């Protein structure tokens, strides 16, 4: 080996060691940075000069299978979390067994207050208490219905925000694709761009699960599990119109709520094979268009049952054929065509409500009575109590087909809501554990600071050896010059 050959080899070694130490430092510094992938230096023999080494490039170490599995877990966890929060809120609105203000307990309190009033129908305080218990029950159903409306409005708002963000991030990925291609063709390092792109893909994936397909020169395409092409060269465009209100009767089918469009064409937001299924966006649509609607049907069924019990023919001899009963649809009799949203309109007949100018003695003497009757006559109160406790078919059968009393129906509502909340919590727990485990496995393939420090020590040794070669060459040159 000539002196010049040794010098060139040592210089190339110093250059490679310098680049390697920089990569190790970057790896250690970004060990906890989300989206960062470990870098390694790729070296090859210097074919042109035949001596030394040449930096062939920088490899960004990732496992596509692990990343895809972790992204699937991220999307599942986001979907489960959204659904679980809705069911948890619904359980709070209905109330629990130990909550005195829960709908089932208020039903029981109303029933008990009628028994107390019937035992002493001349006591004004007991009549007032029975009317107050009825008011409390109707207001609890009103609040639950309002809570569902709020949940639908929140879901609609979330959809709009996610769509805006989704469109923006897809455009950003399209731009980074272009930068990656340009940088790669010019021989530059694209690792930082790939880290940034991976973070953006992860963000898209949480909203809409995606599959990543490689394209030429480092660019990628994004496809959803349902087959929609979110990005392939150009980014797709989602369209959605937020609605300031989401009343119970408003649906996508009747055109009062916005559906979702992609590149100008409507797409399905629910069901097997939905182009957006599996992430937080699909969960928001599920809450707005399915879960909240079904929950509203349950509340409306309870409200309908309560109204119809007190509208039974012959129950109150003082009421006319078209007069409303003890419980009303915003002051009117119930009409089957107006069942949607009924729980939000349920109220006590103003004729017996002292807070609205009525008289509670009409609970004893009849809703149509013009003056108080015999204070000891409990027949009408007993009739109201019997109407509340009689088992009867429930319209629509949302809680089964068996006959139920009002208390049975309240218990069925509580059971249904509690079971839904419990199942949603179980699914969330499973999804969260799966996500945590997939992140742990992915991190194991990431930066190991112990390994990086060992690598740094090897780099330092290589650097010192090459420096020693240069020092030796310098000494030889000095010796030759002195001859």
């Amino acid at each position: 080996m000539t002196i010049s050959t040794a010098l060139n080899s040592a210089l190339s070694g110093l250059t490679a060691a310098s680049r390697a130490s920089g990569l190790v430092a970057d790896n250690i510094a970004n060990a906890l940075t989300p989206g960062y992938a470990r870098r390694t230096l790729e070296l090859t023999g210097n074919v042109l000069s035949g001596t030394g080494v040449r930096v062939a490039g920088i490899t960004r170490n990732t496992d596509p299978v692990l990343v895809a599995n972790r992204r699937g877990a991220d999307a599942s966890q986001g979907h489960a979390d959204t659904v679980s929060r809705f069911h948890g809120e619904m359980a709070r609105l209905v109330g629990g067994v130990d909550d005195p203000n829960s709908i089932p307990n208020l039903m029981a309190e109303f029933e008990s207050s009628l028994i107390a009033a019937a035992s002493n129908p001349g006591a004004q305080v007991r009549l007032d208490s029975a009317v107050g218990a009825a008011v409390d029950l109707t207001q609890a159903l009103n609040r639950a219905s309002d809570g569902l409306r709020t949940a639908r409005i929140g879901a609609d708002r979330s959809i709009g925000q996610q769509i805006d963000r989704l469109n923006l991030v897809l455009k950003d990925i399209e731009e980074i694709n272009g930068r990656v291609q340009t940088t790669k063709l010019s021989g530059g390092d694209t690792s930082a761009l790939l880290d940034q792109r991976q973070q953006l893909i992860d963000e898209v994936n949480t909203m809409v699960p995606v599959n990543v397909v490689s394209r030429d020169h480092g660019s990628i395409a994004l496809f959803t599990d349902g087959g929609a092409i979110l990005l392939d060269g150009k980014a797709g465009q989602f369209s959605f119109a937020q609605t300031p209100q989401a009343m119970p009767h408003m649906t996508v089918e009747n055109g009062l709520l916005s559906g979702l469009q992609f590149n100008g064409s409507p797409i399905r937001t629910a069901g097997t094979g939905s182009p957006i299924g599996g992430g937080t966006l699909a969960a928001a649509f599920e809450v707005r268009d399915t879960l909240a609607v079904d929950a509203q049907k349950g509340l409306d069924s309870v409200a309908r049952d309560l109204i119809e019990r007190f509208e039974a023919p012959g129950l109150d001899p003082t009421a006319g054929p078209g007069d409303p009963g003890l419980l009303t649809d915003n002051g009117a009799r119930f009409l089957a065509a107006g069942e949607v949203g009924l729980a939000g309109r349920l109220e006590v007949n103003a004729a017996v409500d002292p807070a609205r100018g009525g008289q509670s003695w009409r609970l004893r003497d009849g809703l149509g009575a013009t003056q108080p009757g015999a204070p000891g006559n409990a027949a009408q109160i007993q009739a109201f109590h019997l109407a509340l406790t009689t088992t009867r078919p429930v319209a629509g059968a949302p809680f089964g087909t068996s006959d139920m009393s009002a208390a049975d129906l309240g218990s069925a509502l509580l059971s249904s809501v509690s079971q839904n909340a419990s199942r949603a919590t179980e699914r969330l727990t499973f999804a969260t554990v799966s996500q945590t485990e997939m992140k742990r496995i992915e991190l194991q393939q990431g930066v190991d600071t112990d390994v990086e420090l060992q690598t740094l020590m090897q780099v330092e040794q290589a650097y010192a050896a090459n420096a020693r070669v240069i020092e030796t060459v310098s000494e030889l040159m000095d010796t030759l010059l002195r001859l």
Side-chain angles (χ1 to χ4, degrees):
M1 178 182 291
T2 64
I3 291 178
S4 62
T5 299
L7 181 61
N8 288 334
S9 296
L11 288 173
S12 67
L14 286 178
T15 300
S18 177
R19 291 287 300 277
S21 63
L23 283 183
V24 171
D26 285 343
N27 287 339
I28 294 175
N30 291 281
L32 300 178
T33 301
Y36 182 85
R38 179 174 179 266
R39 273 78 151 153
T40 55
L41 194 67
E42 296 298 319
L43 301 176
T44 185
N46 197 331
V47 179
L48 296 178
S49 64
T51 60
V53 296
R54 181 176 62 86
V55 176
I58 296 173
T59 300
R60 181 175 177 272
N61 297 277
T62 59
D63 187 330
V65 175
L66 284 180
V67 172
N69 289 339
R70 192 262 304 157
R71 283 178 177 153
D74 287 345
S76 297
Q77 195 278 337
H79 184 280
D81 180 63
T82 301
V83 172
S84 180
R85 282 190 283 111
F86 168 79
H87 284 300
E89 177 62 14
M90 184 60 191
R92 186 192 67 80
L93 292 171
V94 172
V97 176
D98 299 329
D99 181 5
N101 294 316
S102 69
I103 291 174
N105 285 340
L106 289 175
M107 281 188 178
E109 179 62 25
F110 180 34
E111 183 179 334
S112 297
S113 68
L114 288 176
I115 295 174
S119 67
N120 188 2
Q124 184 69 37
V125 64
R126 296 197 178 189
L127 295 174
D128 289 344
S129 178
V131 172
V135 170
D136 289 342
L137 173 59
T138 60
Q139 289 180 347
L141 284 163
N142 295 160
R143 286 193 299 270
S145 182
D146 290 343
L148 286 178
R149 180 169 57 85
T150 300
R152 294 188 80 199
I153 293 172
D156 190 86
R157 185 184 302 113
S158 174
I159 293 168
Q161 293 170 346
Q162 290 188 68
I163 292 301
D164 291 342
R165 183 60 184 165
L166 195 55
N167 287 331
L168 179 62
V169 173
L170 288 175
K171 279 293 184 184
D172 288 344
I173 296 175
E174 177 188 334
E175 183 178 344
I176 291 178
N177 265 349
R179 292 180 184 176
V180 168
Q181 288 179 314
T182 303
T183 304
K184 200 173 187 68
L185 289 172
S186 64
D189 179 18
T190 61
S191 297
L193 290 172
L194 297 181
D195 284 345
Q196 183 182 8
R197 188 174 69 185
Q198 176 165 311
Q199 286 185 289
L200 294 175
I201 294 173
D202 287 347
E203 186 176 356
V204 170
N205 177 81
T206 302
M207 294 182 280
V208 180
V210 294
N211 298 306
V212 180
V213 179
S214 298
R215 292 290 189 250
D216 294 337
H217 308 299
S219 65
I220 52 97
L222 297 179
F223 299 83
T224 70
D225 290 341
I229 305 174
L230 300 186
L231 172 72
D232 195 1
K234 292 292 184 180
Q237 181 76 21
F238 285 96
S239 302
F240 177 79
Q242 290 190 48
T243 306
Q245 288 292 336
M247 304 303 291
H249 68 281
M250 298 172 67
T251 64
V252 175
E253 289 72 20
N254 61 25
L256 297 179
L257 289 179
S258 173
L260 183 63
Q261 292 190 335
F262 183 61
N263 291 334
S265 299
I267 62 173
R268 289 188 301 110
T269 58
T272 304
S274 167
I276 64 165
T280 57
L281 182 59
F285 273 107
E286 186 176 350
V287 168
R288 191 196 69 170
D289 299 332
T290 303
L291 298 179
V293 171
D294 290 343
Q296 184 69 54
K297 288 179 181 177
L299 293 178
D300 291 343
S301 180
V302 173
R304 174 177 179 173
D305 181 78
L306 289 171
I307 291 178
E308 289 182 334
R309 285 177 182 276
F310 296 107
E311 287 184 347
L315 175 65
D316 182 0
T318 67
D323 292 341
L326 179 61
L327 300 181
T328 71
D329 178 359
N330 203 19
R333 287 179 66 88
F334 168 73
L335 296 176
E339 183 173 354
V340 177
L342 180 62
R345 306 189 304 269
L346 181 67
E347 65 179 28
V348 175
N349 195 315
V352 300
D353 188 358
R356 293 188 292 156
Q359 300 294 332
S360 61
W361 52 259
R362 289 194 175 95
L363 190 66
R364 177 192 64 213
D365 301 319
L367 300 177
T370 57
Q371 59 185 6
N377 184 6
Q380 186 59 63
I381 301 176
Q382 291 171 345
F384 283 145
H385 177 263
L386 181 61
L388 193 65
T389 56
T390 298
T391 58
R392 62 191 295 272
V394 179
F399 307 112
T401 57
S402 61
D403 292 353
M404 296 183 183
S405 66
D408 294 336
L409 190 56
S411 297
L413 172 66
L414 175 60
S415 176
S416 174
V417 169
S418 299
Q419 288 179 6
N420 289 337
S422 178
R423 284 194 293 265
T425 300
E426 290 176 0
R427 286 193 291 268
L428 175 59
T429 300
F430 176 80
T432 301
V433 170
S434 298
Q435 180 194 40
T436 302
E437 181 63 14
M438 291 311 305
K439 283 185 175 180
R440 185 190 65 80
I441 295 174
E442 185 181 23
L443 287 174
Q444 285 182 340
Q445 306 300 315
V447 177
D448 186 328
T449 54
D450 291 338
V451 173
E452 296 301 323
L453 289 174
Q454 292 175 11
T455 302
L456 185 59
M457 292 174 64
Q458 295 173 350
V459 171
E460 289 175 349
Q461 292 172 357
Y463 190 94
N466 283 287
R468 179 56 182 159
V469 170
I470 293 175
E471 182 181 358
T472 300
V473 168
S474 177
E475 292 174 353
L476 289 173
M477 293 295 293
D478 289 343
T479 300
L480 289 174
L481 289 173
R482 286 195 298 269
L483 292 178

